[in-house]
Amino acid sequence: MKKIKFKRFPGDTIVVPMLIGVVLNSFVPQVLQIGGFFTGIVNGTSALVGVFLLFLGATIDVRSTPKAIKIGAVVIGTKVALSVLLGLGVAFLCNDNFLGLSSLAVISAVSVANNALYSGIVAQYDDDAVKGAVAITSLSVGPTVTMIALSSAGLASISVWSIVGSILPLIIGIALGNLSAWFKKTLSAGVTPSIIVVGFALGCGMSIQQLFQGGLSGILLGLVTVFVVGGITVLADKLTGGSGIAGAAISSTAASGVSNPGALAAVDPAYAAVAPIATAQVAASVLITSFLTPMLTSFVAKQKDRKAAKNGAMAEAE
């Protein structure tokens, strides 16, 4: 039997299984409630996200150079701060609806970055500090930032223990991965498979109608994430002595961000109605930023090379 070959594209790890889930839920929803382990996967999103965070934590290396720590802290700190400012701005200034985007969608998408994409982009540049910064940028994963921001602003009713519980799997993963090379290797191997399963489970909670509802606003969310937030992050990177490459390479939405709206709805039912649309919007942002972030980084790198060449020519002339 001839095997079907699929052409890979950035973000397909989360998008393809999610689309499969969407199709099933849209046309044969009864299949999802057939029972047994299959239905357990469909209804077990919270548990699946917890497992994903445990695996992801094991990939984070707490040992890094001071320069890498500084670069990572600046770019991810700026990105998270902007996600909160934009999200709360949408909530309080736009009645939680800016061209179809809610504060939940904005913070969920902007606060998390695709660290695998970041690593792949910066691998081509000869700067170990920029490469090592991923150890810090990886700390901003999961729904924790979204929960803290919305809860602190009085927009969500979430207990402190729910927030602690949302980050605990990540902390346990970090501890295990840094204490044992075996745990690090074994758990890290589960990151991609867990993303696939989480994507499918999330898709099973969405319909084609909801996916289209998230389309244009989701594209807008991706553009804002790369060019508005990314542009400011590049500036922050340069102002603190960096090249701007790290700031550009971090301007994406992580696939894990797709689970954030659902995770928040699980601890605060008030978000149950908006969570499916926000999930679709974040998924669109994942796809859009996967293509645009490498382009922005390439542009910033070329500008850096041009400036270096110009400075070199001026030095020779003198």
Side-chain angles (χ1 to χ4, degrees):
M1 184 176 178
K2 188 176 181 181
K3 293 183 178 180
I4 300 174
K5 292 185 178 180
F6 293 98
K7 186 176 181 180
R8 298 293 305 274
F9 60 90
D12 62 354
T13 303
I14 185 76
V15 174
V16 171
M18 186 173 69
L19 288 176
I20 293 173
V22 169
V23 170
L24 289 176
N25 189 43
S26 298
F27 298 105
V28 284
Q30 62 274 17
V31 172
L32 303 181
Q33 302 306 320
I34 197 170
F37 298 125
F38 182 74
T39 301
I41 292 176
V42 173
N43 297 332
T45 305
S46 295
L48 293 173
V49 172
V51 171
F52 163 71
L53 291 176
L54 177 69
F55 291 163
L56 186 64
T59 68
I60 299 174
D61 190 350
V62 297
R63 299 179 297 273
S64 188
T65 65
K67 186 177 179 182
I69 292 174
K70 187 194 80 169
I71 292 174
V74 167
V75 298
I76 200 62
T78 302
K79 185 173 171 67
V80 168
L82 288 171
S83 75
V84 174
L85 288 174
L86 289 173
L88 297 185
V90 168
F92 291 110
L93 300 179
C94 306
N95 197 28
D96 211 23
N97 188 336
F98 176 72
L99 299 178
L101 294 173
S102 63
S103 56
L104 175 61
V106 171
I107 299 177
S108 294
V110 179
S111 65
V112 292
N114 187 333
N115 290 289
L117 181 63
Y118 174 91
S119 296
I121 293 173
V122 301
Q124 61 185 300
Y125 301 108
D126 190 20
D127 192 328
D128 290 339
V130 171
K131 297 174 185 176
V134 73
I136 305 301
T137 62
S138 296
L139 294 174
S140 177
V141 294
T144 308
V145 172
T146 307
M147 287 183 176
I148 293 175
L150 295 179
S151 182
S152 299
L155 298 171
S157 179
I158 305 171
S159 70
V160 174
W161 291 114
S162 292
I163 295 175
V164 172
S166 71
I167 198 174
L168 192 56
L170 179 72
I171 294 174
I172 294 175
I174 292 174
L176 291 174
N178 283 273
L179 288 174
S180 166
W182 181 84
F183 268 123
K184 184 179 184 68
K185 180 180 179 180
T186 304
L187 295 177
S188 298
V191 172
T192 299
S194 64
I195 289 177
I196 293 173
V197 179
V198 168
F200 174 72
L202 289 169
C204 290
M206 300 164 59
S207 67
I208 290 179
Q209 181 183 4
Q210 291 168 339
L211 202 57
F212 277 113
Q213 286 176 335
L216 292 177
S217 52
I219 293 173
L220 172 63
L221 182 57
L223 294 175
V224 169
T225 301
V226 174
F227 295 114
V228 178
V229 176
I232 297 174
T233 306
V234 168
L235 181 61
D237 186 14
K238 289 183 177 181
L239 290 176
T240 54
S243 63
I245 291 176
I250 206 67
S251 65
S252 61
T253 296
S256 61
V258 178
S259 67
N260 290 356
L264 190 69
V267 296
D268 187 350
Y271 284 92
V274 72
I277 295 176
T279 298
Q281 292 168 336
V282 176
S285 184
V286 171
L287 188 57
I288 294 297
T289 60
S290 292
F291 286 104
L292 294 182
T293 296
M295 294 171 61
L296 176 64
T297 309
S298 177
F299 173 77
V300 171
K302 288 177 181 177
Q303 291 292 102
K304 171 180 171 290
D305 291 341
R306 288 195 194 100
K307 184 177 180 180
K310 183 178 179 181
N311 291 338
M314 290 176 62
E316 289 181 3
E318 293 176 359

